[in-house]
Amino acid sequence: MRCRSREPSRNPRRPRRIRAVTATATAGVLLTLPACAGAGALGQGGDTINVLMVNNPQMLELRKLTAKHFTEETGIKVNFTVLPENDVRDKISQDFANQAGQYDVATLSNYETPIFAKNEWLRPMDGYTRRDKKFDQQDILRPVRESLSGEDGKVYAQPFYGESSFLMYRKDIFAKEGLKMPERPTWPQVAELAAKVDGSERGMKGICLRGLPGWGELIAPLTTVVNTFGGTWFDKDWNARLSDPAFKKATKFYVDLVRKHGESGAAQSGYAECLNNMTQGKTAMWYDATAGAGSLEGAKSKVKGKIGYVPAPTLRTESSGWLYSWAWGIQKASRNPDKAWKFISWASGKEYEKLVGKEFGWANVPAGKRASTYELPEYKEAAGAFHEVTRKAISQARPRDPGVQPRPTMGIQFVDIPEFADLGTKVSQEISAAIAGRQSVETALRKSQALAQEVSDEYEGRGR
């Protein structure tokens, strides 16, 4: 029997539908603990909190650890509702927009957090962090900390992990082919290398790049390419710029690269599929989230120790890595905010990272958020291949200035406005169709420019 949740009514004033970003979307079914903990069955009040979260691997590890290491210590039971990324974002936006209060805590990103805070859907956490000295708010890396703050300067979410993006490649394959990866590669160099390593082993492709529709799937890496090629979604006056030469050049480069030397079925490949391809030895390079390195270097990975890591490829900018965080937010309508904070303090605290290192291996630690993590000897040893590249990528991320021209708002792999979730998803569908060979890049961008112009008309000539 399938458990059904009662969906709250849609609020016409809420931001347009929020879709996938950079975490893993590996399952297509609702995972809950307990088995039928849908919204209508969730416990409320007392010593129970309800947490709605994305189903990426590190979140699933947290779920396994909670009963023994959090509930036994605090007496607070946690009902988890775990969903694939596309689905969890829709459900979060519905529940928080309506302030239904069915979930005390939800996983948010640094895209939603400032928007939700402005709409007064989240509880500020400054009071909690002042009282909870053990949590050590100043230990949170500044770029991540600032990205989870509102316009009022208050903190509205705490990171579970932080990430940027970088290029991962098979050192053994490059050595076999007599190739050397530049310390700071450009995208043209990456394209040349992809052609040379394509077919190095039976069934191996040169590179894996996301082609799956979604504003946080295909659009996330593509927008970093657009930025460093000199393009932008909107100029400082909110004029849509998807038909500009730089945007066209970047998009055609991306589509051509993945069509010529990318994975099979690229138009349906996202983070999860590329991670699997790299882990299984089906691709020689992968440009994506720094969070993927933990899985590649995990104890069960077939490619552990064989991967090299270099900064995100560039062309016209000094750096091009994105900035992203899966974080915990407390719904303003929560009836258990103090208990919700205790859970967040545990799940994002220093001791939790040590617990993960002990239970699942130090390469699996949800890092990228705390400066102290990079001082832990065990983590430095286990993550030696990628931890410093990751830390530098996060510290060098420039969300307010990611390209070569002034922007009207912040964001590297997204534009920090509510409308971008809908716009980015629609544009991604057009570009994914070009990857699939169903239309040209020129046609895809002509349609996309018209979509972006609709948003431009709403913002042009006025502040955000």
Side-chain angles (χ1 to χ4, degrees):
M1 182 179 69
R2 180 175 295 177
C3 303
R4 296 187 178 272
S5 302
R6 294 178 297 173
E7 298 288 353
S9 60
R10 292 183 179 269
N11 187 332
R13 294 180 295 176
R14 71 177 177 87
R16 298 180 187 181
R17 298 180 72 194
I18 298 173
R19 292 199 180 273
V21 191
T22 55
T24 310
T26 55
V29 296
L30 172 66
L31 302 173
T32 58
L33 182 66
C36 291
L42 296 177
Q44 287 288 354
D47 291 324
T48 299
I49 62 169
N50 302 312
V51 175
L52 177 58
M53 70 183 186
V54 69
N55 72 333
N56 71 36
Q58 291 170 316
M59 296 292 185
L60 299 180
E61 289 176 352
L62 176 137
R63 187 178 66 170
K64 294 177 182 178
L65 296 171
T66 298
K68 180 178 179 181
H69 298 279
F70 175 73
T71 300
E72 285 188 9
E73 180 179 337
T74 65
I76 300 169
K77 182 182 178 182
V78 182
N79 286 330
F80 287 106
T81 299
V82 188
L83 290 167
E85 188 173 339
N86 285 359
D87 300 327
V88 79
R89 290 186 180 279
D90 277 342
K91 197 167 187 67
I92 289 169
S93 65
Q94 292 171 32
D95 196 58
F96 278 53
N98 289 289
Q99 289 295 287
Q102 293 175 333
Y103 299 97
D104 301 289
V105 176
T107 48
L108 306 175
S109 76
N110 51 315
Y111 166 71
E112 295 100 343
T113 298
I115 297 170
F116 282 24
K118 187 174 183 178
N119 290 340
E120 299 184 353
W121 297 345
L122 297 173
R123 228 173 242 275
M125 298 180 177
D126 300 72
Y128 289 118
T129 60
R130 282 194 298 269
R131 293 189 294 270
D132 189 347
K133 302 298 183 183
K134 187 178 179 181
F135 184 75
D136 192 1
Q137 179 70 14
Q138 293 306 305
D139 187 47
I140 303 295
L141 297 173
R142 177 177 289 182
V144 178
R145 186 172 70 237
E146 291 180 348
S147 75
L148 297 173
S149 300
E151 291 181 351
D152 57 6
K154 295 179 180 179
V155 175
Y156 285 91
Q158 295 295 346
F160 180 62
Y161 70 72
E163 69 177 34
S164 185
S165 54
F166 57 22
L167 182 66
M168 297 157 271
Y169 69 99
R170 284 284 298 274
K171 295 185 295 184
D172 56 330
I173 298 298
F174 272 58
K176 185 178 76 171
E177 298 295 331
L179 301 172
K180 181 176 177 59
M181 173 64 72
E183 292 183 4
R184 299 186 65 84
T186 64
W187 274 113
Q189 288 173 330
V190 170
E192 291 179 9
L193 291 169
K196 291 177 179 178
V197 295
D198 197 344
S200 293
E201 292 186 351
R202 185 175 181 181
M204 175 175 281
K205 305 300 292 184
I207 194 167
C208 201
L209 296 170
R210 301 186 197 183
L212 180 69
W215 70 268
E217 283 287 1
L218 165 59
I219 292 301
L222 173 61
T223 301
T224 69
V225 178
V226 168
N227 290 337
T228 198
F229 270 64
T232 182
W233 284 74
F234 300 97
D235 66 20
K236 63 182 179 62
D237 297 317
W238 285 108
N239 296 302
R241 294 297 187 186
L242 280 70
S243 59
D244 282 8
F247 204 110
K248 288 182 178 179
K249 183 178 180 181
T251 305
K252 191 172 190 311
F253 173 87
Y254 189 100
V255 171
D256 286 349
L257 178 57
V258 75
R259 281 180 60 82
K260 291 177 181 177
H261 304 296
E263 71 279 13
S264 59
Q268 294 302 315
S269 295
Y271 175 90
E273 290 74 21
C274 283
L275 173 61
N276 182 65
N277 284 344
M278 196 70 177
T279 304
Q280 297 300 318
K282 296 179 180 179
T283 186
M285 290 188 290
W286 178 30
Y287 170 62
D288 214 297
T290 57
S295 297
L296 297 180
E297 301 297 339
K300 297 181 180 179
S301 172
K302 295 180 180 179
V303 295
K304 179 181 179 181
K306 298 179 180 180
I307 308 295
Y309 305 88
V310 291
T314 56
L315 188 62
R316 296 181 58 189
T317 57
E318 292 184 4
S319 62
S320 67
W322 67 56
L323 179 67
Y324 182 77
S325 174
W326 272 119
W328 309 105
I330 302 176
Q331 185 170 179
K332 190 172 183 180
S334 168
R335 293 190 283 274
N336 304 289
D338 293 348
K339 295 181 177 65
W341 170 255
K342 286 185 178 180
F343 169 77
I344 292 171
S345 180
W346 171 74
S348 288
K350 297 178 182 179
E351 295 304 314
Y352 178 79
E353 296 192 348
K354 296 176 183 177
L355 175 63
V356 172
K358 179 181 178 181
E359 296 289 333
F360 297 109
W362 284 95
N364 285 358
V365 165
K369 66 176 182 290
R370 288 187 170 275
S372 58
T373 304
Y374 296 92
E375 301 303 321
L376 294 171
E378 300 92 339
Y379 179 72
K380 291 170 71 174
E381 180 179 357
F386 63 86
H387 76 82
E388 187 61 19
V389 183
T390 299
R391 187 190 64 78
K392 285 184 177 179
I394 292 172
S395 66
Q396 293 173 356
R398 302 171 63 184
R400 297 187 183 278
D401 184 27
V404 302
Q405 67 281 94
R407 308 295 174 96
T409 188
M410 66 185 299
I412 300 176
Q413 75 276 27
F414 55 77
V415 182
D416 191 29
I417 54 174
E419 293 83 359
F420 188 75
D422 184 61
L423 171 62
T425 296
K426 289 179 178 177
V427 171
S428 74
Q429 292 165 349
E430 299 297 339
I431 297 173
S432 183
I435 291 174
R438 295 195 299 271
Q439 64 181 357
S440 67
V441 170
E442 291 75 13
T443 299
L445 289 182
R446 185 174 65 251
K447 296 176 183 177
S448 298
Q449 170 69 13
L451 293 168
Q453 188 61 50
E454 294 178 12
V455 175
S456 177
D457 291 343
E458 297 179 23
Y459 283 86
E460 196 171 5
R462 63 182 174 89
R464 178 178 169 186

